[in-house]
Amino acid sequence: MTRSGLHETIHGRVLEPGDAGYDAARSVWNGMIDRRPRYIVQCADTADVVACVRFATDNDLDVGIRCGGHGIVGHAVADDGLMIDLRPMGGVTVDPVSRRARVQGGALLGALDRAAQQHGLATTAGNVSHTGVGGLTLGGGMGWLARQHGLACDNVISFEVVTATGETLLVSAEEHPELYWALRGGGGNFGVVTEFEFALHPEPGTAIAAAFRFPYATSPRAMRRWRDLSASAPRQATFEAIIGAEGVSLGLVWVGDADDGAAEISTLAGELTEVAEPDVRSVEALSYLELQTREDDIEGHAWRRYWKGHYFTELGDDLIDALLARDGDDLPDVSLQAYGGAIADVADAETAFSGRDTAFEFVAASRWTDPADDERRISAARRYAGTLGRFASGAYVNVLGNDGDAGIRRAFSEENLRRLTAVKDAYDPGNLFHLNQNIRPSGG
């Protein structure tokens, strides 16, 4: 297909450098990403996606796939290539009887949350409402409901996928089962997902967020007690810690019955106060939708960003000491979020997502505005996260940076990686979809 053929075929909009809206369309969440695709196609339907894939193949163009644009590396923005912009395909349809949601590939998490909560339903959908459903889910999909209902990928019933040959497939446990397995955690390596079908769960829409901040002098004792309480926490509770310049915030997020949550938080507060006195206490009752948007401003667009992540299978005393040994300037803020519960109920072999035995996910995240600070802020985050590498058991594929094959080996078990490579060989042997955390076909 020629350039003129692309313009004539697409039902949506084709943008090229110099067109009105081009610069806005190429801008993504991480303000460090400044690339210029040759074409940005704002797809109106699955047929547009098929046309893009075939055009890219015919013209030997790199392909980036954009939804929310939250990937830290900015893979969506294919420099001098073709960006498939799925955002116009952002619809969500909920069937409250079957408890199913059909979600187009360009939808944001907030759209899914709002549509489902109209019927008293929800499914695991991250922590920030302007994240794309597609990228989150294909990499696994952690969220405040994961300990109750599993990861986002565990809740996918079926996918509509455009493959590297331009074929459109309906993929489920019964149809193309190996591809279905790979799409649940293997990232965007195997095609463009134009629709997800999710299982939904009854949720009352009530939540509580509790945090108790301790100065560094007393935080080791408090963090050890917080860790011990997390091990026996109900599945409605997701323990969370934030380590920053002002101290160490230890708490939990509760989604479920408000009275039960208040009792759990009262117990946590009493246990923590027994070993150390917090200097700030915060207990906030929220609706589920408020919970899902409370980090939207903090995680807003345009900031320059860098992060490093680890999985920890346990939070031993030595690791806690290392986490709290923060010396130097420009150190990143750190989050720890508890896994377990329904996440661990699924065996590693059941989906491509690896690391089901993770106890806590660690992310060290920096954000700033001045490009002159890039090297300094990135170096500080790398240095700090590097001191913790000896404790790590792997990493979440959705927080990998430009780590290449080493990152892929951290994100997937050896067995899962072999199986993912076989699926790549079957569905994308030419590696058309390589702008991602790439699982290379066996041919190289």
Side-chain angles (χ1 to χ4, degrees):
M1 186 191 302
T2 64
R3 173 185 176 278
S4 60
L6 179 67
H7 283 263
E8 293 167 1
T9 302
I10 293 298
H11 304 124
R13 189 180 181 200
V14 180
L15 299 173
E16 298 181 52
D19 289 345
Y22 172 84
D23 285 328
R26 71 185 181 89
S27 298
V28 289
W29 176 72
N30 185 353
M32 294 183 70
I33 307 304
D34 184 19
R35 304 189 192 117
R36 303 182 66 81
R38 195 180 307 180
Y39 305 98
I40 298 173
V41 182
Q42 297 180 321
C43 296
D45 50 31
T46 299
D48 281 358
V49 176
V50 171
C52 286
V53 168
R54 291 176 175 167
F55 180 82
T57 301
D58 291 345
N59 293 276
D60 195 26
L61 293 172
D62 283 344
V63 175
I65 304 163
R66 192 219 171 116
C67 179
H70 271 240
I72 193 73
V73 183
H75 285 132
V77 192
D79 207 22
D80 198 35
L82 188 152
M83 178 198 283
I84 297 176
D85 188 348
L86 296 174
R87 287 176 297 170
M89 300 170 61
V92 178
T93 304
V94 172
D95 182 342
V97 176
S98 65
R99 295 179 182 167
R100 296 287 186 268
R102 291 195 174 275
V103 181
Q104 287 188 296
L108 302 183
L109 297 179
L112 171 57
D113 287 331
R114 291 189 297 271
Q117 276 287 281
Q118 287 181 15
H119 305 281
L121 301 170
T123 197
T124 304
N127 299 351
V128 177
S129 74
H130 47 74
T131 304
V133 170
L136 177 95
T137 302
L138 292 173
M142 181 57 181
W144 300 121
L145 293 178
R147 283 174 42 80
Q148 295 185 65
H149 303 306
L151 299 167
C153 71
D154 297 331
N155 287 280
V156 180
I157 306 301
S158 67
F159 304 85
E160 181 184 80
V161 185
V162 176
T163 69
T165 60
E167 185 179 6
T168 303
L169 303 177
L170 180 64
V171 178
S172 67
E174 293 75 33
E175 299 179 75
H176 310 284
E178 279 297 290
L179 182 55
Y180 176 68
W181 174 88
L183 290 169
R184 291 181 297 151
N189 276 278
F190 311 101
V192 185
V193 177
T194 50
E195 186 175 84
F196 299 80
E197 180 187 8
F198 284 97
L200 301 176
H201 309 274
E203 279 297 339
T206 56
I208 308 174
F212 306 91
R213 196 184 71 191
F214 296 85
Y216 275 93
T218 59
S219 61
R221 296 195 304 273
M223 197 165 186
R224 285 167 169 76
R225 181 64 62 90
W226 172 85
R227 170 203 61 198
D228 295 343
L229 292 168
S230 175
S232 58
R235 294 187 175 201
Q236 297 95 322
T238 303
F239 274 53
E240 179 189 40
I242 304 294
I243 304 172
E246 297 182 347
V248 180
S249 177
L250 304 171
L252 63 82
V253 170
W254 176 276
V255 182
D257 181 83
D259 290 339
D260 291 343
E264 186 69 22
I265 289 165
S266 178
T267 298
L268 173 64
E271 292 275 352
L272 292 178
T273 305
E274 193 175 90
V275 297
E277 185 64 32
D279 55 15
V280 176
R281 299 170 183 248
S282 172
V283 178
E284 184 179 11
L286 303 161
S287 72
Y288 179 67
L289 292 180
E290 287 171 337
L291 171 67
Q292 289 293 89
T293 59
R294 71 175 183 141
E295 297 182 21
D296 282 6
D297 289 341
I298 296 171
E299 297 298 341
H301 288 68
W303 291 88
R304 304 176 77 80
R305 295 181 181 273
Y306 184 82
W307 63 30
K308 294 288 286 186
H310 295 307
Y311 280 154
F312 299 132
T313 55
E314 61 179 355
L315 207 60
D317 290 351
D318 289 348
L319 173 53
I320 288 175
D321 291 342
L323 283 164
L324 299 177
R326 290 166 57 87
D327 56 347
D329 298 324
D330 302 313
L331 289 176
D333 289 337
V334 167
S335 66
L336 289 167
Q337 192 166 351
Y339 276 42
I343 303 169
D345 289 344
V346 180
D348 255 19
E350 288 188 39
T351 69
F353 182 87
S354 301
R356 298 278 181 172
D357 60 345
T358 296
F360 290 94
E361 181 195 347
F362 158 96
V363 178
S366 289
R367 64 174 190 168
W368 63 98
T369 56
D370 188 346
D373 293 337
D374 287 358
E375 183 176 353
R376 182 162 50 86
R377 298 301 294 266
I378 291 171
S379 295
R382 285 176 175 165
R383 183 174 64 252
Y384 175 73
T387 65
L388 306 170
R390 68 187 188 276
F391 300 102
S393 59
Y396 183 23
V397 69
N398 280 348
V399 301
L400 291 179
N402 285 313
D403 301 313
D405 290 345
I408 292 296
R409 288 192 295 271
R410 293 186 69 216
F412 299 105
S413 68
E414 187 175 337
E415 178 55 36
N416 280 6
L417 185 54
R418 279 198 297 267
R419 193 170 169 185
L420 284 164
T421 302
V423 178
K424 185 74 169 179
D425 288 345
Y427 289 93
D428 187 19
N431 208 11
L432 175 68
F433 301 114
H434 65 270
L435 293 182
N436 46 46
Q437 296 299 339
N438 193 227
I439 296 161
R440 293 185 295 167
S442 58

